[in-house]
Each structure stands twice: as C-alpha cells, then as structure tokens.
Amino acid sequence: MSSCRLSANPAPSAVWNTVNGGPAKFGSWDVSSFRVKYELHQITSAAVQVAKDADREFKELFGRSWGVVDAYKCDDADYIIVGMGSVIGTAEAVADYLRENRGLKVGVVNMTMFRPFPGDMIGEILKGRKGVAVLERTDQPLADCVAQLVEGHS
C-alpha cells in the first residue's frame, strides 16, 4: 500500500492512502494497522466453524473425530488438566489413576485447535471447576491463553 503526505505540516498529521483515498494514519493512530488486525480477527474467528465442519465430514468418512477441543471425563470433574499434543495420553492416564486410587474427580481437555483460540468452548468446560492445571512440553503459549480466559480477558 503506497501513501503520500498531504503537506509538510498537515493539521492534524494525516497520511492518506493513495489506493482508496481514505486516511491510513491519523495522528498516532494507524488506521490501516487496526483494519488489518480487525479483518484478521474476523477471518480467524470464522476458522473455528470451518474446523468444526471439516471434522464432521472427517467423522462421516472415517468414523472418528478429532474435534476442536476434546474433553475427557470432564462432565463431573472438579479438576481439569489442559494440554495439547503428546502430553494428552499421559494426562488421561493420570486422570484415570487419580479417579481410581485417590478419589479425585479429574478430567482432561485436549486442545486440538490452538489458533484461533476456542475461548468460548474452553470457558464452558472450565466453568465452575475447583482447579485447572495447564501442562506443556514445548514453548507454546497455551498457559497464557488459558490464564487469560480464566481471568476473563479473552
């Protein structure tokens, strides 16, 4: 996107987009950057439904489903372990052990889709629990997203 200044000393300082004639920057607020972020948010938000549709079609074809978020024994769980990837098998075994041997109602949430973050789905699963543990084996920022969700910032 090309832009040009209106004058050497515009009041207030504005940069105009020469493609569509609208302001690309007004003062310190960059309209084009905001618009790109907004459009990216709209597109990625729609990706959740696309993933759900693809999963439904996959299940029809192959008889199994991956889902956007998979909840294992979470219906009656007081405590939830959240993770993604290779940690899930171990987490499910731990949940089973804690249920059978310690009497703790533990469930596991498998984040099969991370971006866009399915905050509404995770929020429904985590609502009303006594505790949530987020396990990671990599540098991915899963813990930050779940923490923001629990605090109500997502």
Side-chain angles (χ1 to χ4, degrees):
M1 172 172 28
S2 63
S3 61
C4 62
R5 292 209 176 269
L6 292 174
S7 68
N9 191 10
S13 65
V15 177
W16 290 85
N17 180 335
T18 57
V19 176
N20 65 11
K25 189 170 189 174
F26 193 81
S28 62
W29 188 52
D30 189 348
V31 178
S32 62
S33 175
F34 174 77
R35 184 179 181 136
V36 167
K37 288 179 183 178
Y38 175 72
E39 289 176 359
L40 181 62
H41 171 72
Q42 286 182 312
I43 291 167
T44 57
S45 294
V48 174
Q49 187 59 47
V50 171
K52 288 178 183 178
D53 294 343
D55 184 57
R56 186 174 43 254
E57 185 177 337
F58 184 87
K59 185 175 183 177
E60 290 172 6
L61 292 171
F62 300 104
R64 63 183 190 274
S65 172
W66 297 107
V68 173
V69 173
D70 182 36
Y72 177 77
K73 296 187 177 180
C74 289
D75 292 336
D76 66 339
D78 293 326
Y79 303 95
I80 302 287
I81 300 170
V82 180
M84 57 193 279
S86 61
V87 74
I88 296 302
T90 305
E92 288 175 351
V94 167
D96 290 339
Y97 174 84
L98 291 173
R99 281 178 174 268
E100 293 169 14
N101 298 307
R102 301 281 174 95
L104 293 172
K105 295 179 182 176
V106 179
V108 177
V109 173
N110 181 6
M111 300 280 304
T112 55
M113 183 169 142
F114 180 66
R115 295 217 192 271
F117 188 76
D120 56 337
M121 299 172 84
I122 298 295
E124 273 303 309
I125 296 170
L126 300 183
K127 187 182 347 178
R129 308 304 173 164
K130 292 180 181 178
V132 176
V134 180
L135 303 180
E136 297 187 58
R137 289 187 176 170
T138 65
D139 294 337
Q140 295 182 4
L142 181 58
D144 291 339
C145 291
V146 173
Q148 289 174 357
L149 178 69
V150 170
E151 294 171 7
H153 298 294
S154 262

